[in-house]
């Protein structure tokens, strides 16, 4: 049995005979996924297209591509998964559209090809309390301008609510019920909006921001740049705004680091009651919260570990 695949010419939208990243991008436009996921697929499919150009398309192509990614020591498991997921979805599109006669997303035994196992432990700490103090001093020193109120509203959603970037980007003015102190969030992997309680600090910051900009409807945060003025802020724009402030304050962290800070602070405040905390963090399971809890416990236990070997000296420290 030959391992080669015959590509079946089809319509213009999914003409697999060209195998370009642009064609793949158009194929992803047909998927029922959110815009962020679709953009992620498009950003990572080019590598698989290059792999096909160099090695051809055959029944073992996706398996070969997985082996190729496994050998990339410059990629973390999370990065490998992004490339492989995009390739797997594209291969599935080709098969479902009858552009290739074999489902190459499965191995010879018919089992689905899986991605790469990721270590669920956090590789980097979130924003630290000392960083929050710097941010407090920074915002306290800002002039009382609409721009300052906009920044305070954005950072309030990160610090006091622990919202994800995509959740902030999706927020509309009408999603806010400031009198009741709540907002309706379209969370990660959710089909419907869910209510969350707003901290009074967040409510005040949002109220002042909406008043300053006279916002009554539409996207909560819009761009102020010349090219995209008035358009909804993207997750990339949010990251750039936050990174600009962090860089100015010499804080080595990221936008997602605020969600780490929020979750860690909540777990400490709730004395490890993960079930109560998940109501606010909106994790689908307690498994990820347990990762945070383990990290907290490990850090708290560190002095005891150090003390165990404190008297074991293989050498004498110099007085210098």
């Amino acid at each position: 049995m030959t391992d080669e695949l015959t590509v079946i010419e089809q319509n213009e939208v999914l003409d697999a005979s060209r195998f370009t990243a642009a064609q793949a991008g158009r194929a992803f436009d047909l998927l029922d996924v959110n815009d962020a996921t679709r953009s992620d697929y498009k950003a990572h499919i080019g590598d698989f297209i290059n792999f096909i150009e160099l090695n051809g398309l055959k029944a073992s192509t996706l398996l070969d591509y997985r082996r190729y990614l496994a050998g990339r020591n410059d990629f973390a498991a999370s990065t490998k998964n992004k490339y492989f997921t995009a390739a797997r979805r594209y291969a599935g599109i080709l098969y479902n559209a009858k552009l290739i006669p074999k489902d190459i997303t499965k191995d010879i035994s018919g089992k689905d090809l899986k991605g790469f196992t990721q270590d669920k432990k956090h590789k980097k700490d979130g924003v630290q309390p000392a960083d929050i103090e710097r941010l407090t001093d920074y915002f306290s020193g800002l002039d009382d301008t609409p721009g300052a109120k906009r920044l305070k509203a954005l950072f309030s959603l990160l610090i006091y609510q622990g919202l994800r970037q995509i959740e902030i980007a999706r927020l509309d003015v009408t999603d806010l019920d400031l009198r009741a102190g709540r907002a309706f969030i379209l969370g990660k992997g959710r089909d419907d909006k869910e209510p969350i309680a707003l901290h009074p600090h967040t409510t005040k910051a949002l109220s002042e921001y909406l008043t300053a900009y006279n916002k009554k409807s539409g996207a909560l945060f819009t761009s102020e740049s010349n090219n995209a003025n008035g358009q909804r802020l993207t997750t990339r724009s949010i990251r750039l705004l936050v990174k600009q402030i962090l860089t100015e304050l010499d804080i080595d962290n990221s936008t997602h680091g605020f969600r780490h800070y929020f979750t860690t602070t909540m777990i400490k405040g709730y004395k490890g009651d993960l079930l109560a905390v998940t109501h606010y963090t909106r994790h689908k399971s307690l498994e990820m919260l347990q990762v945070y809890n383990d990290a907290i416990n490990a850090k708290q236990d560190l002095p005891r570990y150090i003390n165990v070997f404190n008297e074991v000296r293989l050498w004498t420290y110099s007085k210098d």
Side-chain angles (χ1 to χ4, degrees):
M1 181 182 293
T2 179
D3 190 37
E4 296 301 321
L5 285 172
T6 302
V7 177
I8 304 171
E9 293 286 341
Q10 195 77 347
N11 56 51
E12 175 65 18
V13 176
L14 292 174
D15 181 2
S17 63
R18 284 184 250 174
F19 293 116
T20 65
Q23 288 293 100
R26 293 169 66 186
F28 289 137
D29 287 336
L30 304 179
L31 288 180
D32 183 20
V33 295
N34 62 51
D35 291 340
T37 299
R38 183 176 293 105
S39 296
D40 207 40
Y41 289 159
K42 291 183 179 183
H44 291 91
I45 193 59
D47 190 66
F48 183 57
I49 300 300
N50 292 336
F51 186 84
I52 293 175
E53 290 178 351
L54 291 173
N55 302 281
L57 179 65
K58 50 190 179 183
S60 65
T61 291
L62 196 58
L63 179 59
D64 293 339
Y65 183 61
R66 191 190 185 287
R67 290 168 177 160
Y68 155 75
L69 288 174
R72 290 290 299 264
N73 296 325
D74 55 328
F75 283 172
S78 58
T79 302
K80 293 177 182 179
N81 275 330
K82 289 181 179 180
Y83 281 106
F84 188 67
T85 300
R88 186 171 51 194
R89 291 306 302 265
Y90 183 51
I93 290 172
L94 295 179
Y95 175 69
N96 291 332
K98 297 183 171 29
L99 297 175
I100 55 177
K102 181 178 176 64
D103 185 0
I104 66 174
T105 64
K106 304 179 184 299
D107 64 19
I108 194 169
S109 66
K111 293 181 179 179
D112 291 333
L113 293 175
K114 302 295 184 182
F116 298 88
T117 302
Q118 295 178 228
D119 184 356
K120 293 185 178 179
K121 293 181 180 179
H122 298 304
K123 303 297 189 300
K124 186 175 181 178
D125 289 335
V127 173
Q128 299 298 302
D131 300 327
I132 298 298
E133 289 182 12
R134 289 194 209 177
L135 286 163
T136 300
D137 292 340
Y138 172 80
F139 284 117
S140 297
L142 290 179
D143 293 334
D144 192 27
T145 64
K149 288 181 170 60
R150 178 172 179 255
L151 281 177
K152 290 177 182 178
L154 175 61
F155 274 83
S156 291
L157 292 171
L158 292 170
I159 295 171
Y160 302 119
Q161 308 300 146
L163 294 193
R164 300 176 178 92
Q165 300 161 54
I166 186 63
E167 293 170 341
I168 294 176
R170 289 170 175 169
L171 270 175
D172 290 328
V173 175
T174 51
D175 291 327
L176 305 178
D177 185 353
L178 298 185
R179 288 186 178 180
R182 65 178 181 172
F184 292 87
I185 305 295
L186 183 57
K188 180 181 178 182
R190 309 283 184 175
D191 294 322
D192 203 2
K193 294 180 180 180
E194 53 189 323
I196 65 166
L198 293 177
H199 192 281
H201 295 341
T202 308
T203 302
K204 179 175 175 56
L206 288 171
S207 177
E208 291 183 356
Y209 161 63
L210 293 176
T211 300
Y213 280 80
N214 194 29
K215 278 186 172 288
K216 304 293 184 182
S217 61
L220 179 60
F221 293 106
T222 52
S223 174
E224 295 183 343
S225 68
N226 293 330
N227 294 331
N229 189 31
Q231 297 181 23
R232 182 184 298 273
L233 272 190
T234 63
T235 53
R236 180 176 181 274
S237 298
I238 291 172
R239 286 195 299 273
L240 289 175
L241 269 174
V242 173
K243 192 62 178 178
Q244 182 179 350
I245 304 300
L246 296 183
T247 300
E248 185 176 340
L249 299 179
D250 197 26
I251 297 174
D252 181 21
N253 220 290
S254 64
T255 308
H256 191 68
F258 286 96
R259 183 160 171 80
H260 285 237
Y261 165 78
F262 175 81
T263 304
T264 300
T265 303
M266 288 292 291
I267 291 175
K268 289 179 179 178
Y270 276 72
K271 309 297 182 185
D273 185 353
L274 302 186
L275 193 59
V277 172
T278 193
H279 173 72
Y280 296 96
T281 62
R282 292 165 294 106
H283 285 97
K284 290 183 178 180
S285 71
L286 295 180
E287 185 179 5
M288 182 52 69
L289 284 183
Q290 189 60 55
V291 173
Y292 283 95
N293 198 41
D294 289 346
I296 292 170
N297 291 337
K299 184 172 289 188
Q300 290 175 342
D301 193 62
L302 187 59
R304 184 167 61 169
Y305 155 68
I306 293 173
N307 188 58
V308 168
F309 295 96
N310 203 37
E311 300 304 320
V312 180
R313 303 290 181 89
L314 295 182
W315 60 84
T316 302
Y317 293 105
S318 66
K319 294 182 179 181
D320 296 339

